[in-house]
Amino acid sequence: MVFQVTPGMRRLGASVLGMEAIVVALTIPVALRSGAEPSVAVAVGAGLAVLCVLVAALLKRPVAFIVGTILQVLVIATGFLVPTMFFLGVIFLALWITAIFVARRVEGVTFR
């Protein structure tokens, strides 16, 4: 079975990744305030935010959904810098999974 990317999956996935990029970027000042090493906080926060935007731009390709899922795990791992990100990362993972399955289900009904 070939993984097909639908327009709804791209729209919902890009929405999740766009919101996630903002939240991840906002972890930079929180991490700095909590005493994290500045170079680590900026590199991790900015790097993941940029990655979110890049993956959102590549969502026409099925491999972008694999990279997006790996990205969700990395966002959860930022909880080691900012503990709240453990919780927020799990929420974004749930939104990511929901975006994929809900869009496929809705568009599957629409295409029939």
Side-chain angles (χ1 to χ4, degrees):
M1 182 171 150
V2 177
F3 182 77
Q4 291 184 324
V5 178
T6 65
M9 288 171 60
R10 287 195 314 262
R11 280 190 299 270
L12 288 174
S15 297
V16 169
L17 289 171
M19 291 182 293
E20 192 168 15
I22 294 167
V23 170
V24 170
L26 289 173
T27 63
I28 296 170
V30 176
L32 292 173
R33 188 151 171 95
S34 66
E37 183 68 34
S39 59
V40 172
V42 171
V44 170
L48 286 176
V50 168
L51 216 78
C52 285
V53 173
L54 289 176
V55 172
L58 296 174
L59 285 178
K60 287 186 177 185
R61 300 182 178 152
V63 71
F65 285 89
I66 295 168
V67 175
T69 303
I70 294 168
L71 181 62
Q72 301 309 314
V73 174
L74 294 175
V75 169
I76 292 170
T78 61
F80 291 109
L81 285 175
V82 178
T84 307
M85 286 305 292
F86 285 125
F87 175 70
L88 292 175
V90 169
I91 288 176
F92 276 112
L93 175 63
L95 288 170
W96 178 252
I97 291 169
T98 301
I100 294 169
F101 287 108
V102 167
R104 288 181 68 89
R105 180 170 292 156
V106 168
E107 289 181 338
V109 170
T110 307
F111 287 140
R112 291 182 190 179

